Amino acid sequence: MISDQMTAALNAQMNREMYSAYLYMAMSSQANAMGLKGFANWFMVQYHEEMFHAMKFYEYLHSQGGAVELKAIDEPPARFASALEMFTKTLEHEQFVTRCINDLMDLAIAGKDHATRIFLQWYVSEQVEEEENDNDMIAQLKLIKDNPHGLLMLDRELAGRATTVPTDFSKGVSAAAAV
Ligand code: OFO
């Protein structure tokens, strides 16, 4: 059982996760255009992570009998001046998402919606990891500054990031995650 208010709030968050995917796809595209294929890979892996986050909301809404509403996804910015700007914007965005998840958690607690509270716990932990990754990247890029050699070394390292979340949801998120 899930309230109409919580259903609407979870749908809004599903949309934000889709926007996150779209934002990181835009950054991946920009990184490609800058010749930074490793950064492009990192952001495309992040795109898959965000789609997974969105699909978990989708599946949870179904499991609770809540209606899924697919709203328009905002247009992300298309241009970023540097890799540092991309990660600065990524951190700002993730801090916004963290605030949204915290608000959802407050709503679940206020409504004594324990199922949703437990479901959201995963996102609370995930946001800690997201912000930590972004802070680490920003620290490294600040050390590198304008050194092209350092940037290319980091680019090579980021090329090794692999997608670890499911990407095929045709049989549901849980089935995909169990594979
Ligand atoms: Fe879904 O964690 Fe980023 O936005």
Side-chain angles (χ1 to χ4, degrees):
M1 200 192 89
I2 192 167
S3 71
D4 288 350
Q5 189 185 9
M6 183 55 85
T7 297
L10 294 180
N11 268 299
Q13 186 59 31
M14 179 174 66
N15 183 280
R16 286 186 205 107
E17 300 288 348
M18 295 261 189
Y19 173 80
S20 301
Y22 219 26
L23 175 65
Y24 300 140
M25 183 192 257
M27 290 183 181
S28 181
S29 173
Q30 172 75 39
N32 245 312
M34 293 162 80
L36 296 171
K37 302 271 185 194
F39 281 87
N41 172 68
W42 195 96
F43 280 112
M44 199 49 91
V45 171
Q46 200 61 28
Y47 159 86
H48 287 302
E49 293 239 347
E50 298 299 351
M51 288 305 294
F52 176 58
H53 298 174
M55 289 305 295
K56 279 173 70 74
F57 280 105
Y58 175 91
E59 186 169 275
Y60 181 72
L61 279 162
H62 275 294
S63 72
Q64 289 286 304
V68 165
E69 283 181 39
L70 299 177
K71 300 275 175 63
I73 302 167
D74 289 343
E75 184 178 322
R79 294 280 168 264
F80 305 91
S82 64
L84 179 58
E85 186 183 315
M86 284 186 226
F87 275 98
T88 305
K89 293 264 189 269
T90 295
L91 177 62
E92 280 170 15
H93 180 65
E94 290 303 328
Q95 288 169 336
F96 163 70
V97 171
T98 299
R99 289 194 292 276
C100 294
I101 296 290
N102 287 343
D103 288 347
L104 284 173
M105 188 60 109
D106 288 347
L107 191 62
I109 291 167
K112 295 190 167 61
D113 182 347
H114 300 298
T116 302
R117 183 179 56 74
I118 290 166
F119 168 72
L120 289 170
Q121 191 69 51
W122 183 88
Y123 288 89
V124 172
S125 307
E126 181 68 13
Q127 284 310 119
V128 173
E129 200 183 297
E130 297 272 28
E131 288 190 31
E132 185 181 4
N133 289 341
D134 300 335
N135 275 314
D136 287 351
M137 287 298 305
I138 288 169
Q140 289 188 59
L141 286 165
K142 282 186 174 164
L143 280 175
I144 288 170
K145 281 195 187 144
D146 298 325
N147 181 338
H149 184 67
L151 192 62
L152 288 175
M153 294 266 290
L154 183 56
D155 190 61
R156 219 165 287 160
E157 187 187 320
L158 298 187
R161 186 184 188 199
T163 301
T164 55
V165 296
T167 54
D168 177 0
F169 305 112
S170 48
K171 293 183 177 54
V173 177
S174 305
V179 173

